[in-house]
Amino acid sequence: MKTPNKSPFSVLANEFLENTLDQLVNNYSIVQIFYKQENTSTRSHLLISVAKNADAVKLQSKKWVAEVREQYQVYIYFIDYSRIEYQFSKGHPFIEYHCQQSSMIYQNEDSRSSLLINRNWKKYCKKFNRYEDTFHHDHEIHQLQVERLIVENSYNSVFTSYEKLIEFDLEYLEELFTGNRTFDIALNKRINNLLIYIPELKQYFVKKNQHEYFITEIFDETKKSIEEDDLFYNSEMFDSLRIISDSLYTFISVRFYNFKHLIKKQYDKVSNVNEDLFPIEESPKDEILDKAIDRILTFAELEQIYFFHQTTYGEVKTYYLLLIGLNVNNEKIKAITHSLMSLFGTQNKFLLVGHERYWIQKNLREFQNFFVFIMQGKHLVYSSDQYHPEPHWETPHHPQHNDLYFYYKSTLGSSLQFYKLIDGEEGNYQGVDNIFSLFLLSFLRTYIYAKTYYLPNYMTTEALWQLCIYADQDIHKYNYLFEQFSVNIFSFTDYNMSVHHSLAKVNTEKADQMKMIVEKLMNKLREALIGGQLLDGAEMGFIFEKTDGSITNTNP
């Protein structure tokens, strides 16, 4: 083989790639190299045919392959020649598109193997149609199996069949986007591998951690239930699995569509029919909100921010934001809130709710009603990636107030204990401030849960009160009780949730204010629970009635 004066890889206009490919052809049995430049972007593709499959697998896993892709937008595919030849005989569109004679930039003259595709559409279209029809036929068989099992209420089998269907679709996507298929790999890894070529997939799979997905956890739980001869019942997830399967099917159909036109029209520009399937609605510009988002992002690497509510009372405007990201813990929320206060003062306040996406997914059974309203395109004001997934919503979802009776009973118990202390030994208010703070926090959390199906944890008293106003705007009328309190009631409550070795600073005036707050709020809570038909008197166990300074417990 004669060595040309000029490298055949100079067409790439990339010195690093040129040198790397020169080394490859010297060190490995490279058969052919094909180069494609996309017309619609800066992305380009190198398909490298290798004589040995072991070399193809080894080279594909090299670190420099990923670095070239990230730095230069050059996607490299190593495929052994025998597989290319086999896929060519089947009419594989990836091979048909990439291995055109006009795309070849290198051929080993000493190799007896070579593949140069130079045929017209009429000769190829029957093979293409047969290849695509095979997919649709096999997919339909999987789909019919799932539907039959759903009708039969075979819940465990439905999950295992959905796993097979989704695995089948992902394998086809891998074939269509890489020209090859990896065998014997876990579903988590297959999804992660495909994200390299189809980042849009991220919007359909909720992450459990950096490498694993919630959907695989569901499948693993099902398998465990089958092994233990137990019933795994979560039919609400079927609709989410159907959405995932339908979306994968759409990706495959779009890929076939694009290949068909790229090959038929000889690489003419083809519009991406999948583009902007889920556009994000832009929120109106708000200078305060924009500055707040910039400040928030200096504290945490967030995936998304949703601006889901706003209130204005007098000169004070409050923004309600849901922050989604890793490690958005209580301390970080407090630090962000304090920083926003120092930036904007007291006229612009921010209620921040922070969660990991995986936590939201795991707790949908209880809290879906709260999150499904917030996590909508019209509320999204920041996203680090356009392909973040929505949770796999349970459909239909039947909201239930699990343990609401116990939350109410705890709140009621705190109020009764407060009255015992306040009406006990005259002038002895030791512990009253602590039990009052306990009552107020218990009331706020219970009221929010009753109204929104969301039970917040580890939030300041003021943040909980703002969530109460979000849950029920009418409750703001009780704000006057807090304003009449002799000190800032929110600071007072947060302070007294810890033990302090000091004498009580509660006097008769403050005690009367507390009694008024406890009475009014308990009446409001009972009205919400019984009037809203969330609990009835029998479920509540006991109801207190305060008459003439005494407390009566009754068991209806």
Side-chain angles (χ1 to χ4, degrees):
M1 178 180 176
K2 295 181 180 179
T3 304
N5 295 328
K6 187 177 182 181
S7 169
F9 309 122
S10 58
V11 66
L12 301 176
N14 185 308
E15 185 177 353
F16 174 80
L17 263 181
E18 184 179 332
N19 293 333
T20 302
L21 293 178
D22 281 333
Q23 292 179 22
L24 281 180
V25 298
N26 290 326
N27 298 331
Y28 294 90
S29 297
I30 305 298
V31 181
Q32 292 169 305
I33 299 179
F34 299 90
Y35 174 68
K36 282 280 188 182
Q37 174 73 47
E38 290 187 7
N39 293 330
T40 57
S41 72
T42 58
R43 181 183 297 185
S44 56
H45 306 265
L46 279 171
L47 190 153
I48 303 176
S49 173
V50 187
K52 299 177 182 179
N53 183 58
D55 288 342
V57 174
K58 176 183 177 181
L59 290 168
Q60 191 70 59
S61 63
K62 291 289 186 180
K63 187 176 179 181
W64 65 266
V65 174
E67 292 174 346
V68 166
R69 182 178 63 246
E70 293 170 4
Q71 187 170 352
Y72 302 115
Q73 286 287 290
V74 179
Y75 287 68
I76 301 177
Y77 315 90
F78 288 97
I79 307 176
D80 71 284
Y81 177 77
S82 61
R83 180 156 184 83
I84 290 178
E85 201 170 36
Y86 169 72
Q87 295 288 32
F88 169 70
S89 68
K90 290 178 61 180
H92 196 303
F94 183 93
I95 302 301
E96 184 76 19
Y97 174 63
H98 283 278
C99 296
Q100 291 287 324
Q101 182 175 0
S102 59
S103 302
M104 190 186 72
I105 60 174
Y106 170 83
Q107 178 168 322
N108 187 338
E109 295 180 1
D110 296 333
S111 175
R112 296 180 181 180
S113 303
S114 65
L115 177 68
L116 290 175
I117 300 175
N118 188 19
R119 57 188 174 190
N120 58 37
W121 171 252
K122 288 183 179 181
K123 290 183 178 180
Y124 170 65
C125 73
K126 287 184 179 180
K127 284 183 175 289
F128 177 88
N129 292 336
R130 193 179 301 118
Y131 189 93
E132 184 177 12
D133 289 343
T134 299
F135 161 73
H136 290 299
H137 174 265
D138 294 347
H139 183 276
E140 186 176 358
I141 290 175
H142 283 285
Q143 187 69 53
L144 289 173
Q145 174 72 0
V146 170
E147 292 172 0
R148 182 180 64 81
L149 292 169
I150 291 176
V151 171
E152 295 175 355
N153 295 326
S154 302
Y155 295 109
N156 286 358
S157 298
V158 171
F159 280 102
T160 55
S161 294
Y162 256 126
E163 181 180 20
K164 292 177 182 177
L165 174 58
I166 290 171
E167 182 80 32
F168 171 80
D169 288 341
L170 289 172
E171 287 178 359
Y172 248 95
L173 278 173
E174 190 175 18
E175 285 270 9
L176 292 173
F177 277 88
T178 70
N180 211 339
R181 180 183 300 187
T182 51
F183 295 93
D184 299 324
I185 66 170
L187 185 58
N188 285 310
K189 188 173 182 180
R190 192 179 297 281
I191 295 171
N192 285 324
N193 287 347
L194 276 171
L195 291 179
I196 295 171
Y197 310 98
I198 322 169
E200 299 93 330
L201 281 181
K202 286 188 288 186
Q203 62 191 330
Y204 300 106
F205 296 99
V206 173
K207 277 196 170 185
K208 176 182 178 180
N209 52 46
Q210 187 175 359
H211 304 290
E212 297 178 305
Y213 294 87
F214 174 79
I215 189 174
T216 61
E217 181 178 284
I218 290 289
F219 293 147
D220 289 342
E221 289 177 4
T222 305
K223 293 172 185 174
K224 184 178 179 181
S225 297
I226 293 174
E227 291 174 359
E228 297 175 354
D229 197 22
D230 193 13
L231 177 66
F232 183 80
Y233 185 85
N234 189 359
S235 61
E236 294 85 353
M237 282 297 297
F238 293 166
D239 198 58
S240 291
L241 293 173
R242 179 189 59 77
I243 291 171
I244 292 173
S245 175
D246 289 349
S247 300
L248 295 179
Y249 182 82
T250 299
F251 278 114
I252 294 169
S253 299
V254 168
R255 186 65 167 169
F256 274 122
Y257 173 89
N258 284 344
F259 267 140
K260 181 177 182 179
H261 285 267
L262 282 170
I263 296 168
K264 188 176 181 181
K265 301 295 183 180
Q266 297 182 351
Y267 324 129
D268 284 349
K269 182 178 180 181
V270 177
S271 60
N272 183 358
V273 298
N274 192 48
E275 188 175 357
D276 295 331
L277 282 179
F278 302 97
I280 296 174
E281 300 179 30
E282 293 188 2
S283 300
K285 290 297 181 182
D286 184 316
E287 185 177 346
I288 297 296
L289 181 61
D290 290 344
K291 289 182 178 179
I293 291 171
D294 290 341
R295 177 61 64 92
I296 290 169
L297 293 175
T298 64
F299 283 82
E301 293 184 10
L302 298 177
E303 296 175 13
Q304 290 176 320
I305 300 177
Y306 290 90
F307 171 38
F308 63 94
H309 189 61
Q310 180 177 301
T311 61
T312 302
Y313 294 104
E315 296 181 351
V316 179
K317 181 183 292 185
T318 303
Y319 296 80
Y320 289 71
L321 303 177
L322 170 64
L323 314 182
I324 297 179
L326 298 177
N327 302 317
V328 191
N329 54 40
N330 181 46
E331 292 304 317
K332 188 160 288 186
I333 290 290
K334 285 184 177 179
I336 295 172
T337 303
H338 179 76
S339 179
L340 292 174
M341 185 178 295
S342 66
L343 179 64
F344 297 109
T346 57
Q347 290 190 340
N348 293 287
K349 294 186 176 181
F350 294 85
L351 181 282
L352 305 180
V353 179
H355 288 293
E356 293 184 3
R357 190 177 302 275
Y358 177 70
W359 185 95
I360 294 173
Q361 178 71 69
K362 287 289 289 183
N363 292 277
L364 282 186
R365 183 166 291 276
E366 292 183 272
F367 305 148
Q368 175 162 313
N369 271 35
F370 178 76
F371 289 109
V372 75
F373 171 78
I374 295 174
M375 297 176 67
Q376 299 183 30
K378 63 183 179 181
H379 298 144
L380 187 64
V381 291
Y382 168 79
S383 183
S384 64
D385 190 309
Q386 61 177 321
Y387 302 125
H388 286 305
E390 286 188 359
H392 306 303
W393 304 116
E394 294 181 352
T395 308
H397 176 73
H398 304 288
Q400 297 179 359
H401 283 105
N402 298 325
D403 297 330
L404 180 58
Y405 160 76
F406 297 103
Y407 300 146
Y408 173 77
K409 189 173 181 178
S410 174
T411 305
L412 179 57
S414 298
S415 70
L416 295 174
Q417 186 65 25
F418 167 79
Y419 277 113
K420 286 182 180 179
L421 284 176
I422 209 79
D423 294 332
E425 181 182 344
E426 185 177 354
N428 183 2
Y429 295 124
Q430 193 69 28
V432 167
D433 41 11
N434 299 101
I435 198 67
F436 171 78
S437 299
L438 178 64
F439 159 77
L440 187 55
L441 287 174
S442 182
F443 163 82
L444 295 172
R445 294 177 75 248
T446 304
Y447 196 83
I448 292 166
Y449 184 60
K451 290 291 185 178
T452 68
Y453 296 95
Y454 172 66
L455 188 68
N457 286 314
Y458 312 116
M459 299 180 76
T460 64
T461 314
E462 184 172 12
L464 289 171
W465 178 243
Q466 290 169 339
L467 263 185
C468 277
I469 295 172
Y470 164 72
D472 177 13
Q473 191 172 353
D474 182 64
I475 202 173
H476 184 265
K477 66 184 180 183
Y478 293 100
N479 204 60
Y480 79 93
L481 296 172
F482 298 162
E483 293 174 350
Q484 291 176 356
F485 202 67
S486 54
V487 296
N488 184 299
I489 194 169
F490 303 124
S491 300
F492 175 84
T493 303
D494 292 338
Y495 175 81
N496 284 295
M497 286 309 297
S498 301
V499 175
H500 306 284
H501 288 284
S502 60
L503 296 176
K505 298 180 181 179
V506 178
N507 53 33
T508 303
E509 179 185 358
K510 186 178 289 186
D512 289 340
Q513 292 173 342
M514 290 179 179
K515 288 167 71 174
M516 178 68 73
I517 290 172
V518 173
E519 180 181 349
K520 294 286 187 183
L521 294 184
M522 280 307 302
N523 288 338
K524 183 67 174 175
L525 182 57
R526 278 204 309 278
E527 175 189 329
L529 299 189
I530 299 179
Q533 298 183 336
L534 303 179
L535 296 175
D536 57 33
E539 289 176 308
M540 293 166 73
F542 61 93
I543 303 173
F544 85 90
E545 294 180 359
K546 183 167 184 313
T547 56
D548 299 327
S550 63
I551 301 174
T552 303
N553 294 336
T554 60
N555 291 295

